[in-house]
Amino acid sequence: MQQSEQPVLRDIVLIGGGHSHVGVLKRFAMNPVPGVRLTLICRDTHTPYSGMLPGYVAGHYSYDDVHIDLSKLAEFAGARLYRDEVVGIDRGRKRVICRSRPDVPYDILSVNIGSAPKVGDVSGATEHAVPVKPINGFNNRWLSLLSRLENHDGPMTVAVVGAGAGGVELTLAMQFRLRNELEKRGHDPDQLHFHLFDADQQILPTHNAKVRAVFAETLANRGVKVHLGSAVSEVEANRLTTECGDTLAVDEVLWVTRAGGPEWLRDTGLALDDGGFIRVTDTLQTETDDDIFAAGDIANVVNHPREKAGVFAVRQGRPLADNLRRHALGKPAKPFRPQKKWLALISTGDKFAVASRGDLSLAGSWVWRWKNSIDRRFMAKFNDLPAMEENAALPDTGAAQNSEEASQAISAVAMRCGGCGAKVGSTVLSRALGELRPIEREDILIGLHAPDDAAVLTVPPGKAVVHTVDFFRAFIDDPYVFGRVAANHALGDVFAMGAEAQSATAVATVPYGIESKVEDVVYQMMSGAVEVLNEAGCALVGGHT
């Protein structure tokens, strides 16, 4: 990680590892803001690039070819990576609520989590359809589906719901890959049947007539049956029904339509559109809260509505990073206007692609090679990272939003002596430790419930006391996870002696900084440690910082 010698004054928290946020991380890595710390919260350590997913499905790319290593990119940017799922935002307390860890405080927040399929709107779709979005979980769903299809005996019917660019491209990529796999296994590829459904009267409705004609001909030549003008109304275990009453016996159903925002956004108080997407202004700040930004599929730029396409998320990376930087420095954000026409390169699965921009249409194998070159150059920006020199500049108190933060920053630097002068203040410790809930034991007379200079414990007659101490530098930038690891490591030495863990004292070194940032680091780290200690029946009774 690109460690800084400066105290942290402002926390920018990024929810989701989407295309916009990888751009933010790269730009902050190349030009960091003194006193500003980035934290990325994401369920996965690798995020897929949507432009190359059809090629991955078709078998042209490996997993590494189409995924950006978020842990490597975050380390390059000097950002913390917290692996967890966000389930809410407490705007009053300025906290991000996670599923499996303590809340994460923020000064500035950005949301780039893509969209989720609204399969719940159609009877049976949740139980019997495979959603393509969100794309960060696509690989596991695809590998599971591929295994089922490859091991299927006899005729096989696959239905894809959604005939936009994503649905058409995925259908052709899957068909190309599966026919090849069946031929390799000596099976008849003609037993594979694909059907494409959409409520619209035409495929690729946002593209020009020439592009639609190319894909209509391709689908027909490849034997894909297209069903338009009637929405899918019900999905059963092996059957799909449309609103006009048509039914189709199916083995698999993929869902590439009806995307929307996650349900937890409705509890944030942020302004949302009818699809559950966050309404944002031209600066990518939410209409409701200037300290919260949003980009990519999850954002609806109300003055410039555009379709949900990866090209817009990529293009929003630069203005989002610039406005996050400006907002952190107390400067006004600048408006961003997306392009009215954009280049779409849509593949047919067999290393053939169509270029679409406004009324322009070009097709051929050379277009696929062009697309491949563009995509690989894009991925190289985030996976082929240069070495960075550490920045040891003095803290920029201009990043502070008021004189109190600036004075705290100066105090944090002045505090960097050794011994007792380097202790974390009692007020900070009281607040951080006051939220912890270590277990209670009758043999602990004085512990965290009545903190003093030292803890007092009783030792039952006939028992011996085992003492151990561990101390090592953090090897991970997530203090909560490090706290869990450290506690497990220390308990292991007790268990190795055949002893029962009774109590624990903690020795913790935390980065210097303003009180609120130090308090959060202590709380996150000790929360992880106390969870592990409590599980072992061991009470935290005190310690030193």
Side-chain angles (χ1 to χ4, degrees):
M1 184 168 69
Q2 300 302 314
Q3 298 284 0
S4 172
E5 290 296 312
Q6 306 153 34
V8 176
L9 305 179
R10 309 288 286 168
D11 270 312
I12 297 178
V13 175
L14 310 176
I15 300 177
H19 298 353
S20 300
H21 278 173
V22 297
V24 169
L25 289 171
K26 182 66 180 290
R27 289 186 65 79
F28 269 78
M30 304 309 293
N31 187 18
V33 182
V36 173
R37 176 174 59 188
L38 265 63
T39 302
L40 173 65
I41 307 176
C42 190
R43 287 174 297 186
D44 306 299
T45 57
H46 291 76
T47 187
Y49 173 45
S50 60
M52 296 178 79
L53 275 181
Y56 171 66
V57 169
H60 305 315
Y61 301 122
S62 69
Y63 178 91
D64 289 339
D65 288 335
V66 304
H67 284 80
I68 296 170
D69 187 339
L70 290 175
S71 59
K72 182 179 176 182
L73 182 59
E75 182 179 8
F76 177 68
R80 304 183 298 182
L81 173 61
Y82 290 178
R83 288 194 63 188
D84 210 320
E85 180 183 4
V86 172
V87 295
I89 299 170
D90 184 339
R91 291 174 43 230
R93 296 172 54 240
K94 302 197 79 167
R95 295 287 190 274
V96 177
I97 305 168
C98 299
R99 186 174 298 282
S100 306
R101 63 170 301 122
D103 298 347
V104 180
Y106 68 87
D107 297 298
I108 304 169
L109 186 64
S110 181
V111 185
N112 180 210
I113 54 176
S115 56
K118 289 190 171 294
V119 290
D121 293 347
V122 176
S123 175
T126 301
E127 297 80 12
H128 305 297
V130 177
V132 172
K133 290 189 175 185
I135 62 171
N136 62 342
F138 173 78
N139 186 59
N140 288 337
R141 294 191 292 271
W142 163 242
L143 292 178
S144 175
L145 175 64
L146 183 61
S147 176
R148 291 198 302 272
L149 294 176
E150 286 176 343
N151 293 295
H152 185 92
D153 245 349
M156 178 169 41
T157 300
V158 179
V160 178
V161 181
V168 170
E169 199 171 21
L170 180 66
T171 298
L172 295 171
M174 287 179 58
Q175 187 200 48
F176 178 82
R177 172 71 173 276
L178 292 172
R179 285 183 66 89
N180 286 343
E181 296 294 338
L182 290 174
E183 287 179 351
K184 288 178 185 177
R185 288 162 171 74
H187 299 303
D188 180 9
D190 290 332
Q191 288 191 316
L192 178 65
H193 305 285
F194 271 83
H195 293 255
L196 185 61
F197 290 82
D198 202 292
D200 206 296
Q201 294 290 344
Q202 57 188 3
I203 62 172
L204 298 146
T206 60
H207 295 268
N208 64 61
K210 290 179 287 187
V211 172
R212 291 197 294 271
V214 171
F215 278 98
E217 182 180 0
T218 302
L219 291 166
N221 291 341
R222 299 266 287 270
V224 177
K225 305 296 183 184
V226 181
H227 309 261
L228 300 174
S230 183
V232 172
S233 59
E234 185 177 10
V235 182
E236 299 172 83
N238 293 106
R239 185 174 299 277
L240 179 150
T241 304
T242 67
E243 287 182 345
C244 66
D246 293 338
T247 61
L248 176 70
V250 294
D251 297 293
E252 296 286 350
V253 177
L254 279 86
W255 211 262
V256 201
T257 187
R258 297 177 184 266
E263 286 300 315
W264 61 262
L265 278 177
R266 300 188 182 280
D267 298 325
T268 63
L270 295 173
L272 308 177
D273 66 13
D274 292 340
F277 299 107
I278 303 173
R279 292 171 58 92
V280 300
T281 65
D282 293 3
T283 61
L284 301 179
Q285 290 167 293
T286 65
E287 287 186 330
T288 315
D289 191 329
D290 284 347
D291 288 335
I292 300 181
F293 293 70
D297 281 5
I298 198 60
N300 175 3
V301 185
V302 292
N303 293 331
H304 309 287
R306 298 290 188 270
E307 70 169 288
K308 304 299 182 184
V311 62
F312 296 113
V314 171
R315 293 287 181 88
Q316 286 171 347
R318 179 187 291 266
L320 175 61
D322 292 347
N323 279 340
L324 288 172
R325 181 190 309 275
R326 294 182 65 83
H327 195 58
L329 294 173
K331 299 178 180 180
K334 292 184 175 180
F336 161 70
R337 176 170 295 183
Q339 65 272 39
K340 292 183 178 180
K341 296 182 180 180
W342 64 96
L343 176 67
L345 298 171
I346 312 167
S347 60
T348 58
D350 52 355
K351 294 192 175 182
F352 185 97
V354 179
S356 171
R357 187 177 191 274
D359 294 329
L360 174 68
S361 172
L362 299 169
S365 299
W366 69 270
V367 177
W368 189 90
R369 292 192 295 270
W370 179 32
K371 170 178 165 56
N372 176 58
S373 176
I374 292 173
D375 289 341
R376 288 190 180 277
R377 286 201 304 271
F378 174 81
M379 293 297 290
K381 293 179 183 179
F382 303 102
N383 285 333
D384 300 338
L385 302 174
M388 293 285 289
E389 293 183 3
E390 291 191 4
N391 184 352
L394 291 174
D396 178 7
T397 55
Q401 298 298 295
N402 51 56
S403 59
E404 181 181 356
E405 282 187 356
S407 63
Q408 287 187 34
I410 295 170
S411 298
V413 177
M415 189 188 79
R416 297 193 71 205
C417 63
C420 290
K423 286 182 180 178
V424 172
S426 60
T427 303
V428 173
L429 277 180
S430 296
R431 287 197 300 259
L433 301 181
E435 297 185 50
L436 302 179
R437 295 293 179 265
I439 64 167
E440 296 182 4
R441 293 178 58 113
E442 293 182 356
D443 51 7
I444 295 175
L445 304 181
I446 298 177
L448 280 190
H449 65 284
D452 211 315
D453 286 348
V456 179
L457 301 82
T458 60
V459 180
K463 296 284 187 180
V465 177
V466 174
H467 282 285
T468 182
V469 62
D470 274 297
F471 195 92
F472 46 95
R473 293 184 64 178
F475 49 84
I476 187 172
D477 54 16
D478 185 335
Y480 169 75
V481 173
F482 179 64
R484 290 185 61 87
V485 172
N488 268 307
H489 190 277
L491 285 170
D493 290 345
V494 174
F495 299 152
M497 302 302 294
E500 173 192 340
Q502 177 192 26
S503 64
T505 54
V507 181
T509 301
V510 296
Y512 68 101
I514 63 176
E515 285 190 355
S516 61
K517 308 307 178 186
V518 173
E519 178 183 332
D520 177 60
V521 171
V522 173
Y523 172 65
Q524 297 277 338
M525 182 164 57
M526 296 313 303
S527 291
V530 166
E531 285 182 12
V532 171
L533 295 173
N534 285 353
E535 291 170 3
C538 178
L540 178 69
V541 295
H544 185 89
T545 53

